[in-house]
């Protein structure tokens, strides 16, 4: 009995060391942003006095609020678009029969395998030629439909009984109405999975904005924080740079605390299936 | 209802691929007209030391990153695979760096790695050891980035392994125990073979991740010191958007895609035959 208890304690101790190695750096970061600049190097987590100077400096130096709103708008627009269009295609692939359906399926497989390194430059040129550089459309347009989303929806829709659709068709519903009134309410897990993954990847995307956005007022939040951290305007003050990173992390951390189960399960399932 | 996808596919997949292929045979800086140069870009690439440097840098990164990632994820997944209280908390804390933006993680680790004021070196000094020039030495910079990338991603792979572990039927272990197999033997002969497909997936995803390394060197080292952390994507980014060599950048992109394809194919062959 004692041996089992001891085993349990050791096990918890190991888990705790694991958890701390992931959490401690974040805790240290919070503390560093609240310390006076000259105390950041100290090992102690507790500052001699709490100061918001670092945060104040971020707000003074860069339009971080504007970039937050840009990111929020762009990520929401992409997520909404992916949910609507990908579920539409997923629906068509599952419940409709039409010519070229298999062809579309193979095309999709193919798109998912093209690495972005090939499309990056031509897409950038396309955006420039369309006169869309430095616009929201430049950030949104290339990500409006996702083959990955279509796959997940198709997979999930296959488990929805056909009778449901046949009944709705007899009632005279159009296919679009069936999708949004009948299928969507029955596909909550798929919507959550695609929604979380799309939002998170677009929120965190930084290479694409760095390429198509040069105008400061149009920059996304990760882009602005990146340029702030490597550029001169932070005057290499660690506390200020860390504070800008903290501001970028806070929205995701807050959402994650409440919905961590959905985040983990969504990403785990997408990886296993994709 | 598939038409949105077809239109999207034509504009954002077919057109870019064809255009990219055209660019491989041209010299173009966007402003002046495109000039056909035949195989010049390709022959330049073959003799470009920086391209090969970025490729070997990536392999160096993968050499550290993949084993570290697989071993740590397996250990953490095993630790989580118990019916004990608090597992949700531990799982959530391992996973936290996965959801946080790479920009945040990179800025945070750049501070931790700072030679004079960083937390890690302060800790080493406290322990009576010496300072490590994490990001400023040619030898340490890439391993430092590999450690950071592992810290960021390992939670995701832990969850993959955990799902795999939970799918292993209990009776296999019971039978092995009856036959007198030790816990370690059970792990090697039951757990590892069954998890082999997950290992393959983790290896392939980490490899693709490694070849796509961009923000980590961009923020921490800018590719230095002496190009020791120059990644392929960072090199493409520079060729295209600092020097406006669109033709050459497209050639780099194509070559990188082919290298990724070949490497993952080899990994698949080796790992599937292995067990």
């Amino acid at each position: 009995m004692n041996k089992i208890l001891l085993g349990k304690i050791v096990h918890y101790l190991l888990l705790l060391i694991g958890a701390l190695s992931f959490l401690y750096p974040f805790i240290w970061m919070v503390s560093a942003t609240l310390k006076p600049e000259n105390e950041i190097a100290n090992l102690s987590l507790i500052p001699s006095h709490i100061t918001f100077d670092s945060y104040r400096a971020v707000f003074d130096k860069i339009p971080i609020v504007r970039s937050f709103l840009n990111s929020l708008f762009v990520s929401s627009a992409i997520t909404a678009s992916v949910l609507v269009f990908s579920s539409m295609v997923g629906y068509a692939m599952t419940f409709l029969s039409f010519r070229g359906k298999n062809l579309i399926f193979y095309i999709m497989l193919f798109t998912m395998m093209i690495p972005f390194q090939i499309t990056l430059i031509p897409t950038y040129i396309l955006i420039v030629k369309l006169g869309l550089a430095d616009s929201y459309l430049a950030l949104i347009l290339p990500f409006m439909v996702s083959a990955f989303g279509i796959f997940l929806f198709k997979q999930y829709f296959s488990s929805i009984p056909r009778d449901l659709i046949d009944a709705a068709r007899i009632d005279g519903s159009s296919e679009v109405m069936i999708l949004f009134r009948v299928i969507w309410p029955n596909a909550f897990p798929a919507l959550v999975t695609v929604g979380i993954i799309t939002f998170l990847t677009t929120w965190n995307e930084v290479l694409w904005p760095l390429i198509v956005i040069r105008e400061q007022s149009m920059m996304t939040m990760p882009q602005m924080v990146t340029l702030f951290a490597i550029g001169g305007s932070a005057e290499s003050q660690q506390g200020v740079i860390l504070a800008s990173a903290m501001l970028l992390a806070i929205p995701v951390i807050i959402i994650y605390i409440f919905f961590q189960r959905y985040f983990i399960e969504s990403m785990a399932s997408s990886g296993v299936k994709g | 209802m598939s038409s949105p996808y077809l239109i999207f596919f034509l504009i954002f997949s077919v057109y870019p691929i064809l255009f990219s292929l055209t660019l491989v045979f041209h010299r173009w800086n966007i402003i002046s007209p495109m000039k056909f140069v035949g195989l010049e870009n390709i022959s330049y690439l073959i003799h470009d030391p920086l391209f090969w440097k970025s490729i070997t840098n990536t392999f160096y990164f993968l050499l550290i990153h993949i084993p570290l990632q697989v071993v740590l994820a397996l250990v953490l997944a095993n630790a989580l695979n118990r019916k004990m209280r608090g597992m949700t908390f531990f799982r959530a804390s391992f996973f936290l760096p996965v959801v946080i933006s790479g920009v945040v993680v990179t800025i945070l680790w750049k501070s931790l790695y700072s030679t004079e004021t960083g937390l890690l070196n302060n800790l080493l000094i406290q322990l009576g050891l010496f300072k490590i020039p994490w990001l400023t030495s040619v030898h340490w910079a890439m391993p430092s980035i590999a450690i950071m990338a592992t810290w960021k991603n390992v939670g995701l792979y832990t969850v993959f392994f955990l799902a795999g572990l939970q799918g292993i039927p209990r009776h296999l272990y019971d039978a092995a125990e009856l036959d007198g197999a030790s816990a370690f033997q059970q792990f090697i002969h039951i757990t590892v073979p069954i998890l082999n497909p997950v290992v393959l997936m983790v290896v392939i995803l980490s490899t693709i991740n490694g070849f796509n390394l961009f923000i980590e060197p961009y923020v921490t080292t800018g590719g230095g010191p002496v190009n020791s952390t120059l990644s392929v994507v960072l090199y493409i980014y520079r060729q295209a958007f600092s020097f406006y060599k669109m033709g050459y950048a497209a050639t780099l992109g194509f070559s990188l895609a082919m290298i990724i394809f070949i490497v993952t194919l080899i990994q698949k062959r080796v790992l599937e035959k292995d067990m």
Side-chain angles (χ1 to χ4, degrees):
Chain A
M1 191 61 215
N2 262 338
K3 212 178 156 192
I4 295 175
L5 191 69
L6 193 72
K8 256 194 170 174
I9 291 171
V10 171
H11 196 89
Y12 271 123
L13 221 61
L14 287 175
L15 281 169
L16 208 64
I17 293 171
L20 270 182
S21 57
F22 292 104
L23 295 181
Y24 188 82
F26 288 115
I27 298 169
W28 175 83
M29 178 154 102
V30 174
S31 132
T33 58
L34 297 172
K35 280 177 180 173
E37 183 76 21
N38 57 9
E39 287 178 25
I40 290 176
N42 298 354
L43 278 177
S44 158
L45 279 181
I46 297 140
S48 64
H49 63 279
I50 289 180
T51 164
F52 291 97
D53 285 355
S54 296
Y55 289 95
R56 209 167 289 132
V58 176
F59 285 106
D60 281 348
K61 286 178 177 177
I62 46 173
I64 189 103
V65 177
R66 171 70 195 243
S67 73
F68 168 78
L69 295 173
N70 287 344
S71 272
L72 193 65
F73 173 68
V74 168
S75 307
S76 308
I78 290 174
T79 308
S81 160
V82 165
L83 287 178
V84 169
F85 289 120
S86 295
S87 71
M88 267 170 79
V89 183
Y91 176 84
M93 304 283 291
T94 322
F95 297 113
L96 305 181
S97 40
F98 54 91
R99 280 182 54 169
K101 191 164 139 178
N102 279 331
L103 183 72
I104 293 185
F105 186 76
Y106 288 117
I107 288 176
M108 244 163 49
L109 270 179
F110 175 67
T111 345
M112 284 177 78
M113 291 195 329
I114 311 168
F116 75 93
Q117 294 91 344
I118 290 185
T119 51
L120 186 72
I121 288 156
T123 313
Y124 163 73
I125 292 163
L126 187 70
I127 293 292
V128 171
K129 296 277 170 203
L130 291 172
L132 294 175
D134 281 325
S135 74
Y136 286 124
L137 272 177
L139 294 168
I140 297 170
L141 215 53
F143 305 100
M144 284 184 72
V145 185
S146 116
F148 152 79
I150 298 174
F151 258 96
L152 262 171
F153 278 121
K154 184 178 174 310
Q155 205 160 37
Y156 194 84
F157 290 169
S158 315
S159 68
I160 294 175
R162 270 205 103 85
D163 302 353
L164 224 61
I165 289 121
D166 292 336
R169 279 191 187 139
I170 292 166
D171 289 347
S173 304
S174 71
E175 301 292 342
V176 175
M177 264 167 69
I178 296 176
L179 174 65
F180 293 118
R181 298 253 175 89
V182 181
I183 301 289
W184 269 39
N186 282 299
F188 185 68
L191 289 165
V192 169
T193 299
V194 175
I196 284 182
I197 290 174
T198 309
F199 193 89
L200 205 60
T201 41
T202 40
W203 179 272
N204 290 341
E205 172 65 38
V206 65
L207 178 57
W208 183 248
L210 278 174
I211 291 171
V212 291
I213 305 291
R214 302 280 160 104
E215 171 79 40
Q216 203 184 34
S217 64
M218 294 303 295
M219 285 181 183
T220 67
M221 200 172 180
Q223 176 187 17
M224 185 166 286
V225 170
T226 302
L227 293 174
F228 184 58
I230 63 170
S233 58
E235 287 150 8
S236 17
Q237 286 184 297
Q238 289 230 328
V240 182
I241 294 173
L242 286 168
S244 72
M246 200 62 222
L247 290 170
L248 174 59
I250 286 170
V252 175
I253 292 179
I254 291 174
I255 302 171
Y256 180 69
I257 287 172
F258 288 105
F259 300 101
Q260 50 92 5
R261 198 171 65 93
Y262 292 102
F263 273 77
I264 296 172
E265 280 164 13
S266 296
M267 293 181 75
S269 67
S270 71
V272 173
K273 284 165 194 158
Chain B
M1 283 214 277
S2 292
S3 51
Y5 179 67
L6 280 179
I7 297 165
F8 186 82
F9 172 73
L10 283 174
I11 301 175
F12 288 104
S13 291
V14 177
Y15 169 78
I17 291 172
L18 295 178
F19 193 67
S20 203
L21 209 56
T22 324
L23 277 175
V24 169
F25 303 100
H26 287 80
R27 188 187 300 154
W28 193 37
N29 64 1
I30 297 193
I31 301 146
S32 51
M34 231 186 264
K35 185 171 170 253
F36 181 78
V37 292
L39 298 176
E40 198 187 278
N41 283 325
I42 294 168
S43 87
Y44 186 81
L45 176 124
I46 292 169
H47 300 106
D48 181 359
L50 275 182
F51 169 68
W52 295 109
K53 179 78 184 143
S54 68
I55 295 287
T56 44
N57 283 345
T58 307
F59 278 110
Y60 187 28
F61 170 87
L62 292 176
L63 210 65
I64 300 164
H65 179 60
I66 292 179
L68 205 61
Q69 184 96 275
V70 171
V71 170
L72 277 178
L74 261 174
V75 169
L76 292 175
N78 263 295
L80 282 178
N81 192 24
R82 299 278 172 95
K83 290 237 166 351
M84 281 161 64
R85 277 166 163 272
M87 287 306 161
T88 326
F89 165 77
F90 290 117
R91 190 181 68 161
S93 49
F94 299 169
F95 203 80
L96 180 64
V98 178
V99 298
I100 301 285
S101 154
V103 174
V104 175
V105 170
T106 312
I107 291 175
L108 169 57
W109 276 77
K110 193 183 179 185
S111 285
L112 299 180
Y113 275 146
S114 158
T115 312
E116 294 311 319
T117 58
L119 190 68
L120 286 168
N121 276 351
N122 269 333
L123 213 64
L124 289 176
I125 293 295
Q126 294 279 317
L127 293 171
L129 299 166
F130 47 87
K131 288 179 179 175
I132 292 175
W134 297 101
L135 293 169
T136 46
S137 128
V138 183
H139 304 289
W140 277 99
M142 205 48 158
S144 299
I145 289 180
I147 293 170
M148 171 172 86
T150 309
W151 183 83
K152 166 139 178 50
N153 295 324
V154 74
L156 179 64
Y157 301 120
T158 301
V159 173
F160 289 172
F161 277 127
L162 185 61
L165 284 173
Q166 285 166 346
I168 302 176
R170 187 61 238 169
H171 66 83
L172 287 179
Y173 294 105
D174 294 339
E177 218 161 301
L178 276 178
D179 292 340
S182 69
F184 182 70
Q185 282 172 322
Q186 292 176 25
F187 181 75
I188 292 296
H189 294 290
I190 301 175
T191 314
V192 172
I194 293 185
L195 287 184
N196 198 33
V198 190
V199 174
L200 176 66
M201 188 176 73
V202 171
V203 168
I204 287 180
L205 287 177
S206 310
T207 305
I208 295 174
N209 239 343
F211 277 108
N212 291 345
L213 210 60
F214 169 74
I215 195 67
E216 294 84 353
Y218 185 73
V219 170
T220 51
T221 58
V226 218
N227 294 317
S228 61
T229 57
L230 180 71
S231 74
V232 195
V233 177
L234 185 58
Y235 190 47
I236 295 177
Y237 177 83
R238 280 202 197 142
Q239 288 294 333
F241 306 106
S242 301
F243 309 136
Y244 292 97
K245 291 185 176 169
M246 292 300 162
Y248 190 53
T251 313
L252 286 168
F254 254 102
S255 316
L256 176 58
M258 297 233 294
I259 291 172
I260 294 177
F261 182 70
I262 293 166
V263 169
T264 50
L265 212 65
I266 294 171
Q267 288 172 334
K268 200 162 148 18
R269 282 279 161 81
V270 170
L271 277 170
E272 277 177 350
K273 228 183 248 168
D274 215 27
M275 286 171 217

